[in-house]
Amino acid sequence: MEILVEVRRQHSPADVPYYQTIKYQAASDEENVATVLRNLNATPELRDTENREVGEIHWQCSCLQKKCGACAMLINGLPRLACDTKLKDFRENRLLRLEPLKKFPIVRDLMVDRSIMMKNLRDIANWLEREATLTDKNEELAYDASRCLQCGCCLEVCPNFEVGGKFYGAAAFVPASRILSELPKARKYQLIKRYKKRVYSGCGKSLACHDICPVGIDVENKLVNSNAVAVWRRFFSNKKTENP
Ligand code: SF4
Ligand code: SF4
Ligand code: FES
């Protein structure tokens, strides 16, 4: 099965990007995009459809099993994991367009710098200070949130997230919801107050992030704490009015 692979090339952040289209013979439409990239990079003296040399295509991967999030990129315009996207998903036009995620600073070709996600998690102190207590009530939410790969696909589609902006997006409130689910009530509401500025207040609830998550985390359900923020804000402002 022959397909055309169109790749956005950029040798460094300072270079002007361009596209190369490469003919590729796939073994079957069950092949995934990660395999396509590995095969292209393993082909000696590869040339594009304009007979230009195709140097190594830079992209990131680690697990190749949908476990690390490193291979997130735009595949035919949608943020997806290369190791979890098969050619049969795009059978109709037989054109595979590969581009880097656009919300993050470019490093090279399909590689971007997603360190902002770790920086943001550090900023909201997204860690437990003592051993977690899992119960029948919080186990499901904690487990679901723990599956976050920090891939950044949700941030790519979020209208309210930008690198260096005030709102940290689903890649922050999903892990935050896990921490919150494991805390006793009093400590939980202290932390929600701390989280609200960066994690909850900026969310417009458009839920663009909900369907795009490659591991299918129930992102909407993780926003439940943002409603708690609203309730507690009302509670505290009522208290102030009662005790002027
Ligand atoms: S619900 Fe909308 S605004 Fe909120 S994190 Fe998801 S995409 Fe962004
Ligand atoms: S919530 Fe989903 S899309 Fe967002 S970073 Fe985590 S795994 Fe990726
Ligand atoms: S390489 Fe780890 S998720 Fe794709």
Side-chain angles (χ1 to χ4, degrees), residues 130-224:
R130 55 185 77 92
E131 199 176 338
T133 37
L134 286 176
T135 65
D136 287 350
K137 279 189 187 156
N138 67 11
E139 191 176 25
E140 206 177 310
L141 190 144
Y143 171 72
D144 195 31
S146 73
R147 296 188 302 122
C148 177
L149 304 177
Q150 292 293 292
C151 65
C153 291
C154 52
L155 304 181
E156 183 72 15
V157 298
C158 176
N160 295 4
F161 171 83
E162 60 184 57
V163 170
K166 285 186 188 156
F167 174 57
Y168 294 171
F173 70 66
V174 166
S177 68
R178 179 187 175 193
I179 301 288
L180 293 171
S181 76
E182 294 174 12
L183 291 176
K185 254 190 186 159
R187 180 78 186 102
K188 172 175 165 169
Y189 287 119
Q190 268 176 4
L191 209 55
I192 285 180
K193 278 201 289 168
R194 179 173 176 177
Y195 282 172
K196 82 176 181 210
K197 189 166 151 213
R198 302 289 186 200
V199 177
Y200 295 123
S201 296
C203 177
K205 314 276 195 308
S206 61
L207 291 181
C209 54
H210 188 72
D211 293 332
I212 212 75
C213 177
V215 286
I217 291 173
D218 185 348
V219 176
E220 185 175 7
N221 159 274
K222 306 300 168 293
L223 273 169
V224 70

Side-chain angles (χ1 to χ4, degrees), residues 36-44 46 54-59:
V36 173
L37 281 164
R38 293 170 84 203
N39 286 342
L40 287 176
N41 278 339
T43 307
L46 187 65
V54 180
E56 182 180 355
I57 301 163
H58 292 80
W59 64 294

Side-chain angles (χ1 to χ4, degrees), residues 118-137:
M118 281 300 143
K119 183 176 167 292
N120 288 349
L121 288 181
R122 276 200 302 273
D123 186 49
I124 59 167
N126 192 242
W127 57 76
L128 284 168
E129 285 159 9
R130 55 185 77 92
E131 199 176 338
T133 37
L134 286 176
T135 65
D136 287 350
K137 279 189 187 156

Side-chain angles (χ1 to χ4, degrees), residues 230-244:
V231 170
W232 275 75
R233 197 186 293 141
R234 226 174 297 134
F235 172 79
F236 283 115
S237 59
N238 287 347
K239 280 259 168 218
K240 267 192 211 153
T241 335
E242 282 166 24
N243 310 305

Side-chain angles (χ1 to χ4, degrees), residues 2-17:
E2 187 176 273
I3 61 163
L4 288 175
V5 186
E6 190 179 42
V7 188
R8 187 181 187 272
R9 309 303 309 268
Q10 188 169 1
H11 299 301
S12 79
D15 284 320
V16 178

Side-chain angles (χ1 to χ4, degrees), residues 63-102:
C63 67
L64 294 174
Q65 290 178 18
K66 201 180 167 182
K67 295 258 188 295
C68 72
C71 63
M73 61 182 71
L74 289 181
I75 302 178
N76 289 10
L78 287 175
R80 303 183 68 147
L81 298 178
C83 69
D84 187 47
T85 304
K86 292 185 174 175
L87 294 181
K88 67 181 179 187
D89 298 343
F90 306 103
R91 199 178 346 222
E92 273 164 26
N93 59 11
R94 296 214 167 175
L95 175 71
L96 190 61
R97 190 176 167 94
L98 305 179
E99 297 166 296
L101 296 177
K102 291 186 176 155

